[in-house]
Amino acid sequence: MRVVPAQKNDLEKIAEIYELIHREEEKGNTSTGWVRNIYPTLETAEEAFEKGELYAAYKDEKLVGSAVINHFQADSYKEGNWRYESEDEKIMVLHTLAVHPDYFRHGFGGEFIRFFEMFALSQGCTVLRMDTQAKNKNAREFYRRLGFEEAGIVPCSFNGIDSVDLVMLEKKL
């Protein structure tokens, strides 16, 4: 798998992955806590693309996933019980990691996280942070196995979704 900055022609494919994940959620096959037409949407991808923060993952020539990588910590992050303090520019944050449902459990999420770690190191970062919803038990276990520690659960409205229990996660590089 290779991860590269997303191109404009990736946006529709990334939005399609979001749509497929929404369908899996509605069928009860996964529990991300994402909500169709609220988050994530094509506009989510477009905003990240315009800022140069959207990354696309390819297996051979097929787009299999995406994520947003930047230094942005949402207001909810102020409530986290962070173990590792650092200047904001030394903290890299992962948002909206999405893997095409046809490729669930094929290792692409882990490969994307390894890319995230290496990218952060190349930018001089010392701490990784991210979040997930408390109901997303699969993601919580996945991130734990990759060395991320939970830094608290913050009740909030997040990305336009009300009544979210947001799990804060971090890892020291």
Side-chain angles (χ1 to χ4, degrees):
M1 184 179 87
R2 65 185 170 89
V3 179
V4 296
Q7 302 299 309
K8 190 148 185 84
N9 64 347
D10 293 327
L11 294 175
E12 290 291 333
K13 294 173 195 161
I14 290 169
E16 181 182 317
I17 291 172
Y18 298 160
E19 175 65 23
L20 292 169
I21 293 170
H22 288 308
R23 274 193 218 147
E24 291 299 305
E25 177 102 11
E26 291 162 356
K27 290 180 194 173
N29 295 335
T30 192
S31 182
T32 62
W34 292 354
V35 178
R36 180 189 301 280
N37 299 323
I38 296 177
Y39 180 83
T41 62
L42 174 60
E43 290 75 27
T44 305
E46 288 172 338
E47 287 174 22
F49 173 76
E50 292 300 324
K51 294 175 184 174
E53 300 171 347
L54 185 63
Y55 291 82
Y58 282 87
K59 176 64 177 163
D60 301 319
E61 296 306 312
K62 173 130 175 95
L63 189 126
V64 297
S66 69
V68 177
I69 300 174
N70 59 32
H71 297 280
F72 176 71
Q73 298 179 75
D75 288 342
S76 307
Y77 279 43
K78 293 175 186 161
E79 305 299 319
N81 298 316
W82 304 112
R83 291 180 176 205
Y84 310 111
E85 292 302 321
S86 189
E87 306 86 42
D88 287 348
E89 64 273 3
K90 298 276 187 184
I91 299 171
M92 192 68 72
V93 185
L94 181 81
H95 311 271
T96 324
L97 176 61
V99 174
H100 191 295
D102 288 350
Y103 296 92
F104 283 179
R105 293 177 176 66
H106 284 83
F108 296 128
E111 288 186 50
F112 209 113
I113 296 298
R114 281 187 287 288
F115 168 82
F116 172 52
E117 292 173 349
M118 294 298 104
F119 178 76
L121 283 169
S122 77
Q123 302 298 306
C125 293
T126 58
V127 177
L128 302 176
R129 289 189 179 159
M130 67 176 77
D131 59 75
T132 192
Q133 290 201 30
K135 65 171 69 175
N136 193 342
K137 292 179 175 34
N138 289 337
R140 291 174 74 181
E141 174 58 22
F142 170 68
Y143 295 133
R144 186 196 62 74
R145 284 193 320 267
L146 294 174
F148 286 82
E149 300 171 76
E150 292 191 5
I153 298 176
V154 177
C156 61
S157 292
F158 196 72
N159 291 323
I161 303 169
D162 292 327
S163 302
V164 171
D165 287 327
L166 196 66
V167 179
M168 304 296 169
L169 298 149
E170 73 178 331
K171 182 176 183 177
K172 179 96 170 132
L173 293 174

